[in-house]
Amino acid sequence: MAIPTTRTNEQARISIDSEKCIGCGKCIDVCKDLSLVLKDGKVSLASEPVFGCIGCGHCMAICPSGAIEVNGRYLSPKDLFELPPKEQAAGYEELQTLYQRRRSIREFRDEPVSSEKIKKILEAAKMAPMGLPPSDVNVLVLGTKEKNHLFAKDFCDYLEQMQWMVSGWFLAFMRPFWGKANAAVFRNFVKPLFRVYTEKMRQGTNLVTYDAPLAMYFYGSPYADPADPVVAATTAMYAAESLGLGTCMVGGVHPLIQHGGKAKKFREKYGIKFKSREGLFILIGHPQWTYKKGVKRTFASVVNWN
Ligand SMILES: Cc1cc2nc3c(=O)[nH]c(=O)nc-3n(C[C@H](O)[C@H](O)[C@H](O)COP(=O)(O)O)c2cc1C
Ligand code: SF4
Ligand code: SF4
């Protein structure tokens, strides 16, 4: 038994070197697949793991004596690396400063983002947690302003053909299936969005990707936890911010390219491999303007239940 993803349908293989094992039990404690047990003072394989080793690597990463190795599901002992010293990690103040200074940037200087920075952003985003390893997140990189413009133009051409999705008869028809909130969102947000995207694009203004010099589209797969691409995109966004770049998340594209033959054709043109429940674009570039102030935000609710 193994949990399937688009990348693998096998469980990872665990090897134990009993000579090296000192029986500390740490690997057993951290393995929530319950793959490991202590037997005669040494770690050994459990007879009934929950799913079969998912290849999270926790056991290898915690073992003080290098006695356990996991291979498979895109993991091997080669993936282990020495942790950077704790003192080098950003503390709360540094992180909070990064969060406070971030504003959604939609006006970019006409300056490309270097391939070195693109690489760094992706390296950081790969460190994001995922529902289950190996990550089933896919990334489309549009690395120039021109590519971003073409993508947005094609997207708007596609929307022109999909106007029926926001037509009166369709919204009325869907109302009982969608419920009140969805109907209101389509009427008050999606419909005007269709109009402004397409009308402005016809006039040569790109309000979809704002002609940013870099866009990254994070999307999942039919197997992925729907939150995975969003978590990875958020990590990438803050990585870009830490490199002195400005960013803006764009949620308007993903849900509109999921359903139907025309959406499939659009996805195929850009090498988007899968439909997925969630997906998110981030636009990245050098900000045109410098903001003077931050803006405080609130949550809809925070309940300390007791
Ligand atoms: C999930 C998500 C989707 C978003 N989609 C868009 C979008 O399609 N277009 C856009 O211009 N901004 C988009 N934004 C940016 C928001 O409008 C912005 O975060 C919000 O107005 C608050 O401003 P701030 O980010 O500067 O604090 C999105 C943000 C998030 C988190
Ligand atoms: S890789 Fe993860 S699931 Fe597999 S044995 Fe180690 S801790 Fe358990
Ligand atoms: S963490 Fe390493 S040394 Fe400790 S029980 Fe597991 S395999 Fe043995």
Side-chain angles (χ1 to χ4, degrees):
M1 191 172 61
I3 300 174
T5 74
T6 61
R7 301 173 72 188
T8 179
N9 58 9
E10 291 177 346
Q11 52 180 274
R13 299 171 303 282
I14 309 162
S15 349
I16 296 155
D17 185 335
S18 299
E19 295 286 302
K20 289 188 186 167
C21 178
I22 56 168
C24 68
K26 287 181 183 170
C27 59
I28 300 166
D29 204 31
V30 299
C31 178
K32 302 311 178 202
D33 183 53
L34 313 182
S35 282
L36 307 167
V37 287
L38 203 62
K39 211 163 139 192
D40 302 329
K42 303 276 179 185
V43 75
S44 142
L45 299 186
S47 54
E48 286 190 32
V50 182
F51 309 111
C53 178
I54 59 168
C56 70
H58 258 30
C59 52
M60 285 197 291
I62 205 160
C63 179
S65 60
I68 190 160
E69 290 194 348
V70 176
N71 283 281
R73 293 182 77 86
Y74 291 83
L75 179 76
S76 84
K78 286 192 192 128
D79 297 314
L80 293 177
F81 60 90
E82 292 302 321
L83 287 178
K86 204 172 167 186
E87 308 75 60
Q88 275 179 27
Y92 179 84
E93 295 304 331
E94 284 103 356
L95 276 180
Q96 179 66 340
T97 304
L98 191 72
Y99 299 154
Q100 286 178 333
R101 290 190 60 85
R102 183 204 62 80
R103 301 218 48 70
S104 287
I105 299 300
R106 303 180 182 86
E107 301 78 29
F108 298 96
R109 290 207 308 266
D110 192 1
E111 184 184 336
V113 176
S114 69
S115 51
E116 192 195 339
K117 285 191 176 176
I118 295 177
K119 209 169 144 201
K120 282 186 165 177
I121 294 166
L122 289 171
E123 284 309 304
K126 283 181 202 168
M127 297 308 294
M130 75 282 311
L132 275 173
S135 168
D136 231 354
V137 171
N138 298 276
V139 190
L140 168 70
V141 179
L142 297 167
T144 63
K145 175 176 122 174
E146 290 71 27
K147 286 179 188 171
N148 252 321
H149 188 86
L150 181 65
F151 182 93
K153 170 86 175 52
D154 281 345
F155 177 67
C156 289
D157 288 348
Y158 157 78
L159 290 188
E160 299 270 14
Q161 300 171 58
M162 303 298 285
Q163 293 287 353
W164 58 266
M165 272 174 72
V166 289
S167 63
W169 68 264
F170 183 71
L171 298 188
F173 174 77
M174 290 305 286
R175 171 71 182 80
F177 305 102
W178 267 345
K180 193 174 154 191
N182 249 330
V185 167
F186 256 76
R187 201 174 49 246
N188 301 323
F189 179 57
V190 182
K191 191 176 173 149
L193 197 67
F194 257 67
R195 201 186 59 240
V196 73
Y197 275 173
T198 51
E199 277 182 14
K200 284 291 171 188
M201 186 54 88
R202 266 183 256 132
Q203 294 160 15
T205 305
N206 170 10
L207 291 186
V208 183
T209 60
Y210 306 105
D211 288 354
L214 171 65
M216 290 185 179
Y217 171 42
F218 293 80
Y219 62 97
S221 82
Y223 294 93
D225 187 305
D228 282 358
V230 179
V231 176
T234 307
T235 310
M237 181 184 78
Y238 282 112
E241 292 280 332
S242 76
L243 292 167
L245 298 161
T247 60
C248 185
M249 287 184 157
V250 168
V253 177
H254 172 84
L256 296 174
I257 59 168
Q258 298 308 305
H259 307 292
K262 290 193 171 71
K264 186 165 183 261
K265 225 168 137 191
F266 179 84
R267 290 197 307 272
E268 279 169 1
K269 171 162 181 185
Y270 286 95
I272 300 167
K273 294 182 188 174
F274 304 105
K275 295 206 273 187
S276 62
R277 281 231 330 255
E278 294 295 342
L280 202 53
F281 264 83
I282 32 170
L283 308 179
I284 303 170
H286 302 88
Q288 176 76 259
W289 313 117
T290 305
Y291 282 86
K292 296 285 179 208
K293 307 267 187 196
V295 180
K296 273 192 194 162
R297 302 290 185 200
T298 55
F299 278 131
S301 75
V302 178
V303 175
N304 284 306
W305 186 83
N306 54 36

